[in-house]
């Protein structure tokens, strides 16, 4: 009964209700859209370092990450690899050896970072193979095929098929050098990787650095990157002494902080927007209460208790809130789907931007994250109820006689 | 005058509604002004620190060095035909009004080797005398640890690079780069101090030496890549860019570019951040506008009978329209004044005290290749504040269009039957 | 030529699918200086006729001429101006603007005409004295009694010296004593200034004061009686 009364009251001033509703829908829909786009940016930033380089977590000898000491290596262990691959959370793994040196082509020489990998394994952890701009990703059988970043390739003026010479210090103190053949060129938008990273066959690099059978790290991809820290902890306990699993958050603390601070800014953003929306709702409900003073007087004269009057007003707000939330979510989902499927390309306007150790791609693309919908929706309902509180109190405090005299 | 007075009284007929509406408008204006001023201050700080360690407000490069960073685009100041009666290019630019410093630099990709490790680095040759006190990278370095001469073997090394090479201050190491004919040239350097910037790429790959020491590896001791021009004030860039451009001979291949071009990373970071902020502003404005339309419409609808009387006694519909629009304008004006007051207070707080983010982010958060100061401080952008104030007035008038049209369309005979 | 002439006037309102005939083929002439009332039960079409004469409403068919002007030939703006200068209105109640003082309400029509503030003030002071509401100039409508409010409304109506004053149920919300006073007052204005008054009312008191009683029933003319008033 009260519910029916409340819902009919809502439509007494159709225009006013619709305007208020539209403000709620606009704020919720655009809120979810922008949160989705921001989440998309964060995912881009995160994947620019994890899926294009580190992996979500890495297993190294203790201390290796501090200074990437080439002697802090450990033997390649098929048993360990097998065990890791059987872990429910791990979806990819790749053994790697790392070397630094000068790479030359004809009279051009540049410093470079080499990652010795097995191509088929690396594909399970990073996505460099899907970011090629020339050539084809080498197979495991290729003895000396190299994949290098676009910036480096340009400076060396090489294209697939060209020869490279790599010079480095080997573990035995000698200077090693050997030939590589360019097989493919990748472009990630991350200037550090594009300008210095080269993927080479693991066996080739092991032999050149005099580190046969040794690796520096096992890079892993996990099911949920945002829970990589838990996975790292669990895996470390299963590893031999002297080995440690490190998640991306520990590798890039500033990025972890950036992602954490996103939650703070999301909250501030929601509060500010809803403050403005809430004032609009407050105004509407106040108006509808004030112009019904006489009617509330009649209801009271008929024996309705102040609490029930208050309930009617709050119910109206709740209904308005539910309606606004439902419509806002629908519109927000539609906008977000558009931005997820189509997106906006900004590459004509800006170039990639580095942020907290990662790279923001010049595009707007939304991703769906439950929290980006659920949190704003709950908050909007809460705001509608809060906005109804004052008017409801006002209505409940009316004196029936005075209210009846009101015209 | 009468219209204004009448409108003023009408605005206050429903005090609560008007106050809520004014609160929403002025609060939004405050938010927009305060947030803009905060960003304005933070961007200015980022640009300042960025241009000082990077390209300067204006940089002189040969060819497309700004984009390609092709280390072959070396040049020698005195050989580019830019000598004039006033001396070489550096002296002539320094002589311009508003120029604080002109910093010649050379950047060579190289390999640094210690007895155990090798790493790729960027060997950066600078003019230590000119650079000290300007370049923020050199700020926390104690005077004795600074490089002293243009051609000494003393080097400043990034902190992470130092630990990766397993070296300490005072140690020696070898730097290998490509010589003029493609052969490899090595130099022995001594570590005089370390640079800890908080920017991953800088700390992991910077080696700074006197510019002649670096240039000697290319075979020409005077060769440079960049002339970074630091201005007294970033607003002078627009005026000085063409002046500096005009000093460069047309056949020299030299060109002057602004920092936005030379440091696209920073410029784009700011652009992106500001664009997302604008989007948020737009949503706020949209919601507030709907609120104002709602308020005005309510006040028109509840006065239908009264408007009928006014029409009946002979007022024209245009007059009713003007009344409603004047009411909206007054509402906007009050909100504008109040919002500016709040906005100024908030900005004042943000300028004087600022926001300390050290509890939320590490002290060395990098954005666009520049360390982001964790204590954010606003700066006054009066032009913007005025512009936003004008928008508030404009907005209230726009919001009144529909309610005003509604009022003007009232049929008096029907309106007076209305209760 | 009569001040007001209605020829074969009809007004039909659509109401849902039906059509409500408010006025049907009405012919009426009112001369300058008359003090006439349109009488009849509610729904008889009195208010519609009054609104049409006042250029607030348009007839479905037929012709209206007031003070030599044919409404059909006039644009909305000209009609508003005509209302402002040639027609005065008095309504039931709530017809003062609540945010204006009594004097400002009375001045409103003069202000619309662009009369200078000083001249307006002077004219309204004189009118207030004449209407027995001197001293109430600064009160807001809410602080005035019903009778006082109607006097202010009369002041507003006669201030521009219109050709005719149209009064729609002016006594509806007043007690009979106040109503009597008010009618006396309007009668006096009619005699002394020669202002034409056309009422719509079913109040016997109003009918008793009128020189001419035009009775309507279901939108048609029923009776048109002239009577002597003491």
């Amino acid at each position: 009964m009260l519910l029916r009364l409340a819902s009919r009251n809502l439509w007494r001033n159709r225009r006013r209700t619709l305007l208020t509703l539209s403000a709620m829908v606009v704020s919720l829909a655009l809120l979810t859209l922008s949160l989705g786009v921001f989440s998309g940016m964060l995912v881009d930033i995160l994947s620019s370092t994890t899926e294009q380089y580190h992996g979500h977590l890495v297993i190294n000898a203790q201390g290796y990450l501090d200074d990437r000491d080439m002697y802090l290596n450990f033997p390649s262990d098929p048993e360990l690899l097998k065990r890791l691959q059987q872990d429910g959370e791990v979806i990819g793994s790749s053994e790697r050896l790392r070397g630094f040196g000068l790479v030359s082509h004809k009279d051009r020489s540049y410093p470079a970072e080499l990652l010795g990998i097995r191509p088929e394994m690396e594909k399970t952890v990073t996505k460099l193979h899907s970011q090629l701009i020339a050539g084809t990703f080498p197979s495991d059988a290729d003895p000396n095929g190299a994949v290098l970043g676009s910036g480096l390739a340009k400076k060396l003026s090489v294209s697939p098929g060209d020869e490279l010479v790599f010079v480095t210090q080997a573990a035995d103190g000698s200077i090693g050098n050997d030939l590589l053949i360019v097989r493919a060129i990748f472009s990630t938008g991350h200037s550090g990787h594009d300008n210095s990273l080269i993927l080479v066959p693991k066996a080739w690099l092991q032999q050149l650095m005099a580190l046969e059978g040794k690796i520096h790290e096992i890079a892993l991809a996990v099911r949920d990157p945002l829970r990589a820290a838990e996975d790292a902890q669990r895996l470390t306990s299963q590893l031999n002494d002297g080995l440690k699993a490190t998640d991306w958050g520990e590798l890039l603390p500033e990025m972890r902080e950036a992602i954490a601070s996103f939650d703070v800014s999301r909250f501030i953003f929601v509060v500010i927007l809803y403050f403005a929306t809430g004032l609009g709702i407050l105004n509407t409900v106040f108006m509808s209460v004030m112009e019904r003073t006489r009617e509330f007087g009649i209801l009271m004269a008929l024996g309705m208790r102040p609490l029930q009057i208050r309930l009617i007003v709050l119910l109206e707000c709740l209904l308005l809130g539910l309606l606004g939330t439902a419509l806002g979510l629908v519109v927000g989902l539609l906008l977000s789907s558009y931005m997820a499927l189509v997106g906006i390309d900004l590459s004509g306007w800006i170039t990639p931007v580095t942020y907290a150790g990662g790279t923001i791609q010049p595009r707007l693309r939304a991703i769906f994250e439950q929290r980006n919908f659920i949190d704003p929706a709950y908050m909007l309902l809460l705001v509608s109820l809060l906005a109804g509180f004052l008017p409801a109190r006002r209505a409940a405090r009316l004196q029936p006689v005075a209210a009846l005299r009101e015209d | 005058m009468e219209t204004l007075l009448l409108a003023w009284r009408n605005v206050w007929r429903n005090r609560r509604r008007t106050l809520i509406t004014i609160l929403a408008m002025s609060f939004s204006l405050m938010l927009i002004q305060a947030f803009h001023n905060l960003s304005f201050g933070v961007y200015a700080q980022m640009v300042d620190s960025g241009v000082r360690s990077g390209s300067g407000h204006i940089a002189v490069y040969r060819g497309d060095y700004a984009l390609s960073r092709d280390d072959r685009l070396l040049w020698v100041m005195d050989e580019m035909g830019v000598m004039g009666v006033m001396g070489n290019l550096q002296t002539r630019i320094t002589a311009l009004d508003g120029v604080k410093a002109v910093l010649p630099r050379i950047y060579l990709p190289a390999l640094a080797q210690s007895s155990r490790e090798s790493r790729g680095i960027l060997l950066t040759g600078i003019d230590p005398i000119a650079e000290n006190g300007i370049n923020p990278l050199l700020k926390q370095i104690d005077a004795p640890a600074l490089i002293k001469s243009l051609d000494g073997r003393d080097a400043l090394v990034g902190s992470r690079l130092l630990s990766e090479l397993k070296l300490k201050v005072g140690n020696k190491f070898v730097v290998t780069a490509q010589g003029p004919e493609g052969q490899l040239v090595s130099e022995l350097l001594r570590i005089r101090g370390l640079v800890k910037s908080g920017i991953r790429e800088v700390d992991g790959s910077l080696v700074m030496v006197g510019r002649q020491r670096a240039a000697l590896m290319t075979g020409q001791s005077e060769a440079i890549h960049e002339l970074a021009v630091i201005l007294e004030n970033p607003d002078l860039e627009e005026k000085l860019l063409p002046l500096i451009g005009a000093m460069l001979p047309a056949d020299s291949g030299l060109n002057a570019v602004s920092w936005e071009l030379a440091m696209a990373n920073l410029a784009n970071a700011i652009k992106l951040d500001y664009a997302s902020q604008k989007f948020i502003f737009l949503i706020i404005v949209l919601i507030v506008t709907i609120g104002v339309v709602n308020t005005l419409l309510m006040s028109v609808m509840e006065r239908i009978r009264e408007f009928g009387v006014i029409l009946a006694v002979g007022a024209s519909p245009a007059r009713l329209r003007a009344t409603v629009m004047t009411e909206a304008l007054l509402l906007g004006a009050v909100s504008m004044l109040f919002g500016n007051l709040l906005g100024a207070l908030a900005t004042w707080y943000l300028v004087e005290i600022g926001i300390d983010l050290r509890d939320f982010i590490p002290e060395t958060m990098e954005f666009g290749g520049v360390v982001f100061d964790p204590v954010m401080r606003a700066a006054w952008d009066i032009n913007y504040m005025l512009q936003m104030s004008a928008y508030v007035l404009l907005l209230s008038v726009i919001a009144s269009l529909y309610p005003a049209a509604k009022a003007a369309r009232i049929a008096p005979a029907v309106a007076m039957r209305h209760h | 030529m009569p001040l007001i002439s209605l020829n074969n006037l009809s007004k039909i309102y659509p109401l849902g699918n039906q059509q409500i005939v408010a006025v049907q083929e009405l012919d009426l002439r009112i001369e300058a200086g008359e003090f006439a009332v349109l009488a009849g039960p509610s729904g008889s079409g009195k208010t519609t006729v009054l609104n049409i004469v006042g250029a607030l409403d348009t007839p479905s068919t037929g012709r209206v001429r007031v003070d030599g002007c044919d409404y059909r030939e006039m644009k909305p703006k000209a009609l508003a101006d005509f209302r402002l200068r040639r027609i005065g209105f008095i309504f039931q109640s709530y017809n003062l603007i609540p945010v204006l003082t009594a004097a400002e309400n009375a001045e409103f029509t003069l202000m619309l005409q662009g009369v200078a503030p000083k001249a307006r003030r002077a004219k309204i002071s004189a009118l207030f004295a004449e209407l027995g509401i001197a001293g109430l100039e600064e009160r807001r409508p809410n602080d005035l009694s019903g009778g006082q409010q109607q006097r202010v409304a009369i002041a507003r109506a006669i201030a521009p010296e219109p050709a005719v004053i149209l009064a729609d149920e002016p006594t509806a919300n007043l007690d009979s004593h106040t109503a009597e006073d008010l009618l006396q007052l309007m009668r006096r204005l009619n005699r002394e200034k020669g202002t034409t008054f056309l009422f719509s009312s079913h109040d016997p008191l109003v009918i008793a004061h009128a020189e001419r009683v035009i009775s309507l029933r279901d939108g048609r003319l029923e009776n048109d009686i002239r009577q002597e008033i003491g």
Side-chain angles (χ1 to χ4, degrees):
Chain A
M1 175 61 198
L2 284 186
L3 193 69
R4 205 181 319 145
L5 197 63
S7 71
R8 291 209 183 138
N9 276 330
L10 211 51
W11 295 106
R12 276 164 76 157
N13 194 324
R14 192 176 296 254
R15 195 180 342 236
R16 182 170 63 203
T17 302
L18 283 177
L19 269 172
T20 315
L21 214 51
S22 73
M24 297 168 82
V25 170
V26 165
S27 55
L28 180 57
L30 294 183
L31 198 58
T32 53
L33 172 69
S34 28
L35 291 179
V37 171
F38 289 152
S39 291
M41 277 187 188
L42 284 182
V43 165
D44 271 357
I45 296 172
L46 184 57
S47 63
S48 74
T49 53
T50 56
E51 285 161 21
Q52 290 167 12
Y53 181 67
H54 286 296
H56 297 131
L57 43 93
V58 285
I59 294 169
N60 311 91
Q62 296 271 8
Y64 176 77
L65 289 172
D66 297 337
D67 49 18
R68 296 188 283 184
D69 183 337
M70 88 168 117
Y71 298 102
L72 288 176
N73 50 46
F74 59 99
S76 167
D77 181 358
E79 282 296 308
L80 172 63
L81 209 55
K82 206 167 175 188
R83 234 174 40 233
L84 288 172
Q85 282 161 351
Q86 279 163 357
D87 187 285
E89 289 300 309
V90 175
I91 54 172
S93 57
S94 176
E95 290 182 323
R96 292 163 165 183
L97 185 73
R98 183 177 279 108
F100 298 91
L102 269 183
V103 63
S104 314
H105 174 70
K106 293 188 181 150
D107 62 347
R108 313 292 304 145
S109 303
Y110 285 93
E113 172 184 349
L114 266 65
L115 275 186
I117 51 132
R118 279 178 51 200
E120 287 311 315
M121 283 177 88
E122 185 64 25
K123 278 182 185 175
T124 64
V125 176
T126 59
K127 287 186 178 156
L128 292 172
H129 61 275
S130 62
Q131 287 169 306
L132 301 183
I133 53 169
T136 48
F137 207 69
S139 72
D140 282 358
D142 198 327
N144 61 352
V147 182
L148 71 166
S150 55
L152 189 57
K154 199 176 164 215
K155 285 185 185 174
L156 289 165
S157 17
V158 293
S159 46
D162 287 342
E163 275 186 3
L164 295 174
V165 178
F166 181 67
V167 187
T168 188
Q169 259 166 318
D172 58 7
S174 65
I175 299 289
N177 68 70
D178 204 348
L179 271 183
L180 288 168
I181 309 290
V182 177
R183 296 289 179 214
I185 294 167
F186 64 79
S187 174
T188 61
H190 187 291
S191 67
H193 301 155
D194 287 352
N195 280 318
S196 69
L197 192 62
I198 307 184
L199 301 182
V200 297
K202 189 178 73 185
W204 179 90
L205 191 62
Q206 281 172 334
Q207 195 254 327
L208 180 73
M209 292 178 74
L211 287 171
E212 269 93 355
K214 300 290 174 63
I215 54 172
H216 283 129
E217 66 191 24
I218 303 174
L220 300 176
V222 293
R223 207 174 298 285
D224 182 358
L226 293 177
R227 308 178 73 171
E230 295 162 34
D231 298 330
Q233 216 171 6
R234 197 186 62 247
L235 290 175
T236 299
S237 67
Q238 300 169 7
L239 292 171
N240 299 340
D241 279 352
L243 291 186
K244 183 175 181 287
T246 308
D247 71 293
W248 60 266
E250 211 176 323
L251 283 169
L252 300 157
E254 67 266 43
M255 185 170 296
R256 186 178 50 195
E257 300 291 337
I259 289 177
S261 73
F262 171 63
D263 282 340
V264 179
S265 39
R266 166 161 51 191
F267 184 72
I268 296 175
F269 183 24
V270 170
V271 167
I272 290 175
L273 268 192
Y274 281 175
F275 186 78
T277 315
L279 284 179
I281 304 173
L282 179 65
N283 235 346
T284 298
V285 181
F286 248 129
M287 283 308 102
S288 97
V289 166
M290 298 312 281
E291 67 189 23
R292 279 186 290 157
T293 299
R294 195 185 148 78
E295 194 177 309
F296 285 126
I298 294 171
L299 286 176
M300 284 179 170
L302 292 176
M304 196 172 252
R305 278 171 291 130
L307 193 70
Q308 286 170 306
I309 301 271
R310 189 183 279 224
L311 212 59
I312 290 184
V313 176
L314 285 176
L315 262 176
E316 285 176 35
C317 295
L318 187 67
L319 284 178
L320 191 67
L322 280 171
L323 209 58
T325 306
L327 287 173
L329 280 179
V330 169
V331 178
L333 272 168
L334 286 177
L335 289 175
S336 301
S337 319
Y338 175 83
M339 285 302 283
L341 295 174
V342 184
I344 296 177
D345 182 17
L346 298 180
S347 57
W349 180 61
I350 54 170
T351 53
V353 169
T354 65
Y355 175 53
T359 302
I360 304 174
Q361 298 299 331
R363 62 174 175 205
L364 296 179
R365 184 183 62 107
I367 60 159
F368 287 99
E369 223 183 289
Q370 253 185 355
R371 295 181 53 194
N372 289 339
F373 290 92
I374 290 177
D375 292 359
Y378 273 134
M379 295 265 293
L380 185 61
L381 275 181
L382 196 68
V383 165
S384 349
L385 276 181
L386 277 180
F389 182 76
L390 277 179
R393 198 176 62 166
R394 164 94 200 187
R397 283 194 178 168
L398 289 171
Q399 296 297 319
V401 184
L404 278 173
R405 223 183 293 128
E406 193 92 11
D407 216 336
Chain B
M1 199 56 218
E2 277 90 1
T3 315
L4 217 58
L5 191 74
L6 180 61
W8 178 252
R9 290 198 194 144
N10 276 328
V11 163
W12 292 105
R13 264 165 97 156
N14 192 320
R15 191 178 301 247
R16 195 187 342 244
R17 181 173 63 204
T18 300
L19 281 176
I20 292 177
T21 312
I22 287 177
L23 187 66
M25 286 174 86
S26 47
F27 190 75
S28 310
L29 180 61
M30 175 199 80
L31 277 178
I32 289 174
Q33 287 182 341
F35 271 107
H36 169 87
N37 285 338
L38 186 62
S39 309
F40 188 66
V42 170
Y43 297 157
Q45 192 269 334
M46 283 169 72
V47 169
D48 187 63
S49 120
V51 295
R52 282 158 181 270
S53 59
S55 74
H57 292 103
I58 297 169
V60 179
Y61 293 124
R62 197 180 130 204
D64 68 341
Y65 187 80
L67 289 175
S68 69
R69 300 281 152 182
D70 182 342
D71 51 286
R72 283 168 293 187
L73 291 170
L74 282 162
W75 52 287
V76 176
M77 266 188 273
D78 296 347
E79 286 177 6
M80 300 308 291
V82 288
M83 285 289 279
V85 277
M86 300 288 294
N88 73 6
L89 192 59
Q90 188 179 3
T91 3
R92 288 174 61 202
I93 295 178
T94 313
L96 286 173
D97 247 3
V99 172
K100 193 171 186 174
V102 179
L103 309 171
R105 292 182 186 142
I106 178 169
Y107 301 101
L108 299 175
L111 189 72
Q113 289 164 282
S114 66
S115 52
R116 295 182 55 171
E117 292 275 352
S118 27
R119 291 289 183 272
I121 60 155
L122 189 65
L123 184 66
T124 305
I126 58 159
D127 187 339
I129 313 296
E131 204 98 11
N132 292 344
I134 299 272
N135 194 330
L137 293 178
L138 304 176
K139 240 181 200 155
Q140 342 92 311
I141 300 173
D142 297 330
L146 288 169
I147 320 169
K148 297 287 188 295
S149 68
L150 285 177
D151 60 353
R153 293 188 179 274
D154 290 336
L156 297 172
V157 177
S159 55
R160 171 145 181 115
L161 181 62
L162 200 68
S163 73
E164 291 205 357
L165 290 171
K166 304 238 180 269
L167 291 171
K168 291 193 187 68
V169 172
N171 289 164
K172 290 178 181 152
F173 68 106
V174 176
V175 169
T176 307
Q178 175 182 268
E181 267 84 49
Q183 82 281 28
L184 295 181
V185 184
S186 295
E187 285 279 355
L188 190 69
L189 298 176
R190 186 170 48 239
I191 302 168
R192 192 158 180 102
L194 81 162
V195 174
K196 197 173 163 93
S197 68
I199 304 166
R200 192 163 276 265
E201 208 158 320
V202 170
D203 292 346
S205 69
L206 178 75
V207 175
M208 215 179 233
V209 294
R211 71 174 163 86
Q212 288 180 348
R213 172 57 52 199
L216 278 170
M217 298 177 86
T218 70
Q220 291 170 289
S221 68
E222 286 302 322
I224 58 171
H225 282 119
E226 170 184 276
L227 212 49
V229 182
I230 314 286
L231 305 179
E232 302 280 0
N233 165 353
D235 300 336
L236 293 171
E237 182 206 308
E238 215 174 316
K239 198 184 99 200
L240 287 174
L241 187 63
L243 287 182
I244 293 173
M247 284 183 184
L248 310 170
D251 57 350
S252 66
L254 294 181
N255 49 69
V257 299
S258 71
W259 69 268
E260 282 103 331
L261 230 90
M263 296 196 292
N265 190 6
L266 177 59
N268 288 324
I270 290 177
K271 257 202 225 168
L272 189 67
D273 191 67
Y274 194 55
S276 55
Q277 193 177 325
K278 266 196 188 148
F279 183 68
I280 294 171
F281 288 175
L282 190 77
I283 305 178
I284 295 180
V285 166
L286 207 59
I287 294 169
V288 173
T289 310
I290 295 175
V292 177
V293 172
N294 212 348
T295 297
L296 291 173
L297 207 57
M298 279 191 247
S299 95
V300 166
M301 297 319 268
E302 69 192 15
R303 281 188 287 162
I304 285 191
R305 200 189 140 82
E306 184 182 324
F307 283 160
V309 172
I310 293 177
L311 283 172
V313 301
S316 61
R319 188 167 190 97
L320 276 191
R321 199 181 302 132
T323 305
V324 174
M325 289 177 78
T326 312
E327 285 171 29
L329 203 62
L330 282 175
L331 203 63
V334 174
S335 308
M336 181 196 81
L337 290 175
F338 194 52
N340 265 304
L341 188 73
L342 290 176
L345 275 175
T347 304
W348 175 80
Y349 175 85
L350 291 172
V351 168
E352 296 297 322
I353 318 266
I355 298 180
D356 193 338
L357 286 181
R358 275 175 293 204
D359 295 340
F360 298 106
I361 62 170
E363 280 179 47
T364 56
M365 174 76 83
E366 172 263 0
F367 188 34
V370 170
V371 174
F372 183 83
D373 191 340
V375 182
M376 301 198 292
R377 275 176 203 282
W380 292 95
D381 189 350
I382 303 287
N383 270 343
Y384 185 84
M385 291 176 80
L386 292 178
Q387 201 185 330
M388 283 303 114
S389 307
Y391 272 143
V392 168
L393 288 184
L394 188 70
L395 195 95
S396 47
V397 173
I398 290 174
S400 74
L401 289 178
Y402 176 63
K406 199 90 199 156
R409 241 185 289 138
I410 286 171
V414 181
M416 282 185 307
R417 247 178 276 131
H418 202 275
H419 283 277
Chain C
M1 192 156 82
L3 181 67
I4 299 168
S5 69
L6 308 178
N7 283 340
N8 199 22
L9 188 79
S10 294
K11 178 69 183 178
I12 298 160
Y13 291 111
L15 183 80
N17 293 331
Q18 287 181 300
Q19 295 204 318
I20 303 292
V21 181
V23 180
Q24 215 171 354
E25 293 156 12
L26 184 69
D27 282 292
L28 193 62
R29 280 175 175 63
I30 293 170
E31 301 296 331
E34 280 198 64
F35 197 79
V37 60
L38 289 162
S42 66
S44 60
K46 338 183 267 298
T47 301
T48 306
V49 173
L50 213 61
N51 282 341
I52 288 172
V53 172
L56 294 178
D57 211 346
T58 48
S60 305
T61 57
R63 202 169 141 189
V64 192
R65 285 179 73 96
V66 178
D67 199 22
C69 295
D70 189 334
Y71 289 174
R72 279 182 310 184
E73 293 159 6
M74 294 162 77
K75 297 221 164 85
K77 212 173 162 200
L79 281 175
D81 202 53
F82 183 78
R83 280 203 299 272
L84 178 58
R85 289 168 201 284
R86 304 309 295 152
I87 296 176
F89 280 97
I90 300 167
F91 310 98
Q92 300 185 19
S93 55
Y94 314 117
N95 71 58
L96 298 180
I97 300 166
V99 295
L100 296 181
T101 63
E104 284 168 339
N105 263 293
E107 278 179 49
F108 194 77
T109 43
L110 294 177
M111 183 198 93
L112 289 177
Q113 286 188 7
V115 177
K118 258 194 185 158
R120 272 172 7 212
R121 260 295 125 117
K123 190 162 193 181
I124 295 304
S125 296
L127 265 176
F128 269 41
E130 198 179 337
L131 297 175
I133 46 174
L136 301 179
E137 283 87 346
E138 295 310 315
R139 296 256 193 111
R140 291 281 179 100
N142 281 345
D143 302 329
L144 297 174
S145 71
Q148 288 166 336
Q149 283 192 40
Q150 278 309 46
R151 281 167 200 250
V152 175
I154 293 169
R156 181 178 65 189
I158 62 174
E161 292 161 16
V164 58
I165 288 183
L166 304 174
D168 190 9
E169 309 268 13
T171 58
N173 291 300
L174 303 176
D175 62 78
S176 58
H177 187 70
T178 314
E180 174 77 42
D181 282 354
L182 210 65
L183 285 164
Q184 298 278 5
L185 177 70
M186 289 192 270
R187 185 82 180 105
R188 202 180 82 222
L189 291 169
N190 169 251
R191 284 212 191 110
E192 291 174 4
K193 302 194 177 213
T195 313
T196 312
F197 277 84
L198 179 60
F199 295 85
S200 88
S201 185
H202 54 264
D203 182 354
L205 198 63
V206 177
I207 295 168
H209 277 82
E211 288 177 343
R212 180 177 174 194
V213 180
I214 305 151
S215 304
L216 297 178
R217 181 171 289 277
D218 299 331
R220 289 176 185 277
L221 187 66
E222 197 182 41
N223 261 319
D224 190 348
I225 305 163
R226 283 170 197 279
Q227 56 188 27
E228 279 304 311
I229 314 293

